[in-house]
């Protein structure tokens, strides 16, 4: 299974990447920091200085309908914020 699922492309992460050379990724929940570092370096050809991870649990929701209460939850996710070395950039929009 792949370590990197997809990059986080939001207004906040775009500003972070321009100012501080930090990029965000949704990653496999079982991946550790060393695996994330190796996957980013192999995929994008940059040198990674630091990796920070965050685990988000599922959000539980319920709603009231004609047939009764419906319970559900979202999926648990793991995010990784990767600091890239000075001078290296990751271009998510290139068509290579």
């Amino acid at each position: 299974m792949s370590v990197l699922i997809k990059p986080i492309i939001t207004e906040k992460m775009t500003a972070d990447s321009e100012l501080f050379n930090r990029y965000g990724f949704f990653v496999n929940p079982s991946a550790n920091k060393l695996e994330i570092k190796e996957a980013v370096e192999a995929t994008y050809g940059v040198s990674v200085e630091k990796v920070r991870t965050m685990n988000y649990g599922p959000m539980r929701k319920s709603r009231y309908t004609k047939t009764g209460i419906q319970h559900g939850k979202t999926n648990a996710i793991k995010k990784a914020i990767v600091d890239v070395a000075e001078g290296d950039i990751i271009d998510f929009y290139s068509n290579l």
Side-chain angles (χ1 to χ4, degrees):
M1 180 171 224
S2 178
V3 175
L4 300 177
I5 297 173
K6 65 180 180 178
I8 301 172
I9 301 175
T10 60
E11 192 173 337
K12 188 174 182 179
M13 281 310 306
T14 304
D16 236 13
S17 65
E18 291 171 356
L19 295 174
F20 304 111
N21 258 4
R22 291 184 196 143
Y23 298 92
F25 296 93
F26 289 115
V27 295
N28 188 350
S30 63
N32 61 25
K33 292 182 180 184
L34 294 175
E35 292 172 345
I36 295 168
K37 178 181 177 178
E38 290 170 2
V40 170
E41 287 177 344
T43 305
Y44 296 104
V46 296
S47 58
V48 175
E49 292 182 344
K50 186 176 182 180
V51 176
R52 289 171 288 181
T53 59
M54 298 169 273
N55 281 309
Y56 288 96
M59 291 176 46
R60 301 189 188 284
K61 298 179 179 183
S62 62
R63 64 181 174 194
Y64 300 95
T65 63
K66 279 195 287 188
T67 59
I69 299 174
Q70 300 291 320
H71 296 287
K73 67 178 180 70
T74 61
N75 292 332
I77 58 171
K78 185 173 189 176
K79 291 182 185 179
I81 306 298
V82 177
D83 287 358
V84 178
E86 193 67 35
D88 288 344
I89 60 168
I90 297 175
D91 188 15
F92 295 125
Y93 302 108
S94 68
N95 295 327
L96 296 177

